[in-house]
Amino acid sequence: ALKKSAVDYMHPEVGVTTTDATVFGRNYFNRPSAPETEEDEFADERAEILAEASALKKLATDYMHPEVGVTATDGAAFGRNYFNRASAPEMEDDEDAEERVLVLAEAAALKKSAMDYMHPEVGVTSADGACFGRNYFNRPSAPEGEDTDEAEERAHVLAEAAALKKSAVDYMHPEVGVTTTDATVFGRNYF
């Protein structure tokens, strides 16, 4: 009995069958106190509106998804495909198109980086008002920078130190030998 009740509950589409002639039920939809149902005219109009909405949805789907293609069940319907014909120009695949877009975007980014690097005089432009930076070199509390005379003197001292280092390395490592790029330089080997 429990299984039968569960099957009756889970499958209302089966319906109820009975052999008792005295069994009856009340129809709650056609009784006088039932809420009003829709008239036939309104039902027909609602059906037309729903059919138009369904057709509009199909048209919007066809427009937004051209990759789906067109399906026809009419054998007499045909059309010429100008894209897949033998004389059509060759088209690239979706993967190739995506890769081409990525390569072009990467090339544009590289070009921008190269332009920024090669032309520092252009400077940085920003449209964001919240972007700012602090100049640590021209602020009042910055350490004093050296003037031109001091910079030249420092460069001269560093050049002399580099020459002394080269002489010391040549003296301490005679096994390295002497190399030159001047073809007019020569010497006699006494050993």
Side-chain angles (χ1 to χ4, degrees):
L2 188 59
K3 180 180 177 185
K4 182 177 180 335
S5 295
V7 169
D8 290 344
Y9 181 78
M10 292 301 294
H11 298 286
E13 70 275 2
V14 173
V16 178
T17 57
T18 182
T19 56
D20 190 1
T22 60
V23 174
F24 62 91
R26 184 171 178 190
N27 188 343
Y28 290 95
F29 300 105
N30 291 337
R31 69 185 194 280
S33 62
E36 288 187 29
T37 58
E38 198 173 38
E39 294 180 13
D40 289 340
E41 293 176 15
F42 293 134
D44 292 340
E45 189 173 343
R46 183 166 55 83
E48 285 179 22
I49 291 171
L50 290 175
E52 286 178 3
S54 175
L56 281 173
K57 178 182 177 184
K58 183 180 181 320
L59 286 173
T61 303
D62 292 344
Y63 181 78
M64 293 302 292
H65 298 285
E67 68 275 5
V68 173
V70 177
T71 57
T73 56
D74 187 5
F78 62 90
R80 184 171 180 192
N81 188 344
Y82 289 95
F83 301 104
N84 292 338
R85 67 186 194 278
S87 62
E90 193 171 322
M91 294 175 51
E92 62 185 355
D93 297 325
D94 289 340
E95 294 175 6
D96 294 338
E98 290 173 5
E99 186 174 348
R100 182 173 52 82
V101 168
L102 288 175
V103 167
L104 289 175
E106 193 173 296
L110 283 172
K111 178 181 178 184
K112 183 181 181 316
S113 295
M115 291 297 291
D116 292 344
Y117 182 78
M118 293 302 292
H119 298 285
E121 70 275 4
V122 172
V124 179
T125 58
S126 175
D128 190 2
C131 287
F132 59 89
R134 184 172 177 191
N135 188 345
Y136 289 95
F137 302 104
N138 293 337
R139 69 185 194 279
S141 62
E144 287 186 28
E146 59 187 1
D147 58 358
T148 309
D149 295 335
E150 291 174 354
E152 289 175 0
E153 182 68 25
R154 185 170 52 84
H156 183 67
V157 168
L158 289 175
E160 285 180 358
L164 281 172
K165 179 182 177 184
K166 183 178 181 322
S167 297
V169 168
D170 290 345
Y171 181 79
M172 293 301 294
H173 298 283
E175 70 275 5
V176 172
V178 178
T179 58
T180 182
T181 57
D182 190 1
T184 62
V185 175
F186 60 91
R188 186 167 177 190
N189 188 350
Y190 291 99
F191 303 103

